[in-house]
Amino acid sequence: MTAALAGFRVQLWRLRGNFDDLQTFAIAPLFALIFCGIVASSDRDDLLGEATIGAALVSVWVLCAQIGSNVVQKERRLGMLETLVSTPGELRWLFLGRISAFVSLSVLFFPEVWLTTAIFFRHPVSIPHPGVLLLTVVLLLVGLVAAASLVAGLAMLVREAQILQNALTYPLYLLGGLLVPASYLPDWLRPFSRLVFLSWASDLARASLRSGPIANLGTSVLGLLITSLLMMIGSQLLLGAVIKRARTRGLLGLS
Amino acid sequence: MTSLTVPRNLPLLVRASSLIGFQDLRAFYTWRSWTFGWLTRVVTQVLFFATIGVYLNDDDRVRFLVVGGAAAIAVMEAMTIVMLSAFDRGLGMLPLLWPRPATTSSWAWRATSTV
């Protein structure tokens, strides 16, 4: 736990003035402009809220994939992994702390894209169920920490983490139903989509924008919670296993 | 001020820089990582934007987004040169590329990105 807290603090300190790691905050308004522009050009202003939330979710996921890959890749490039492993703190806890620091910042995407839509489309998105959105964001953060840890574990396994990071973007936007609900996917893909925590989170976030009672609220919350927790357990097991493998085979800086 | 002139040894430069481009590509990807990493990513990018058109229930919009999405990928591929230049800088290669004869690097970059 001390390692996780140290990782959290170190990451926040390292973020100061480091635009490279924060570039997604510059990209998020562009996602909002693109998605809102597409729906507005079809005279579907009623979908501006969903497009805005979609932009926030896409940005959150971009940051998540980037963190997971970067925490490994940057240390590997600097030749720091061996040194970090030799310290008394467990590496996966350190990663967890660093990832949590990043992920906690990702909540800022929501006000950022909201402001973009309000300024450029003169459409302040109303949120009839703010409590549901807040709950979704909190649970989403848990899922994101788990997902980024999973990406970090995979990045330890592959030679070029950058390719992995790239491959995890658009396929997950689709499977996670980040902009278009997963129910629009082909029938055979839908079960896979339900395994992705993002599909539950995006359903909940969209539901928070609609007035009136929310159908299947409990199921969606439970789905998001279960997929996030399973991923958290899986990611910690994977990280533990790949770190052990890399240590015993002397592959930390090479794999 | 730099003027844009066509170098006399243009065919040689294009050939050399294309070779660099292919070698960069081979060093960065394996056929598996290119197919399942990059190609899958760009195809799903087009599909992602196309599904927005489907969601809007607008066939014209679907066609527009498919063509536009594919064209945007072509632009994005060419723009990787910006990233590669940044990599060169990070690796300390830029000072070595700069004092080359003629306009090698600027032409090399263009051909590399086109590859």
Side-chain angles (χ1 to χ4, degrees), chain A residues 109-194:
Chain A
F109 286 126
F110 289 87
E112 190 184 10
V113 295
W114 188 91
L115 276 174
T116 307
T117 308
I119 292 168
F120 289 94
F121 293 88
R122 298 183 191 283
H123 184 95
V125 176
S126 59
I127 305 160
H129 301 285
V132 174
L133 185 61
L134 191 68
L135 176 69
T136 308
V137 172
V138 170
L139 293 176
L140 178 68
L141 294 185
V142 177
L144 288 169
V145 171
S149 304
L150 199 64
V151 176
L154 293 172
M156 292 280 286
L157 280 175
V158 299
R159 189 168 62 106
E160 191 47 81
Q162 187 86 37
I163 299 171
L164 174 76
Q165 181 189 329
N166 248 324
L168 286 172
T169 51
Y170 280 88
L172 266 295
Y173 301 169
L174 265 180
L175 268 183
L178 298 190
L179 185 56
V180 177
S183 55
Y184 278 76
L185 291 174
D187 289 343
W188 61 273
L189 258 182
R190 280 182 217 163
F192 295 103
S193 167
R194 293 284 87 170

Side-chain angles (χ1 to χ4, degrees), chain A residues 178-230:
Chain A
L178 298 190
L179 185 56
V180 177
S183 55
Y184 278 76
L185 291 174
D187 289 343
W188 61 273
L189 258 182
R190 280 182 217 163
F192 295 103
S193 167
R194 293 284 87 170
L195 296 174
V196 180
F197 77 109
L198 291 168
S199 69
W200 299 101
S202 55
D203 279 353
L204 275 170
R206 272 190 294 270
S208 74
L209 300 178
R210 296 183 195 121
S211 48
I214 297 175
N216 302 323
L217 177 65
T219 314
S220 297
V221 171
L222 201 64
L224 177 54
L225 199 63
I226 289 172
T227 45
S228 300
L229 288 178
L230 284 178

Side-chain angles (χ1 to χ4, degrees), chain A residues 89-117:
Chain A
E90 246 196 273
L91 189 58
R92 59 178 166 174
W93 283 105
L94 184 76
F95 280 167
L96 194 72
R98 289 185 56 190
I99 287 167
S100 304
F102 255 118
V103 166
S104 58
L105 289 179
S106 67
V107 291
L108 297 174
F109 286 126
F110 289 87
E112 190 184 10
V113 295
W114 188 91
L115 276 174
T116 307
T117 308

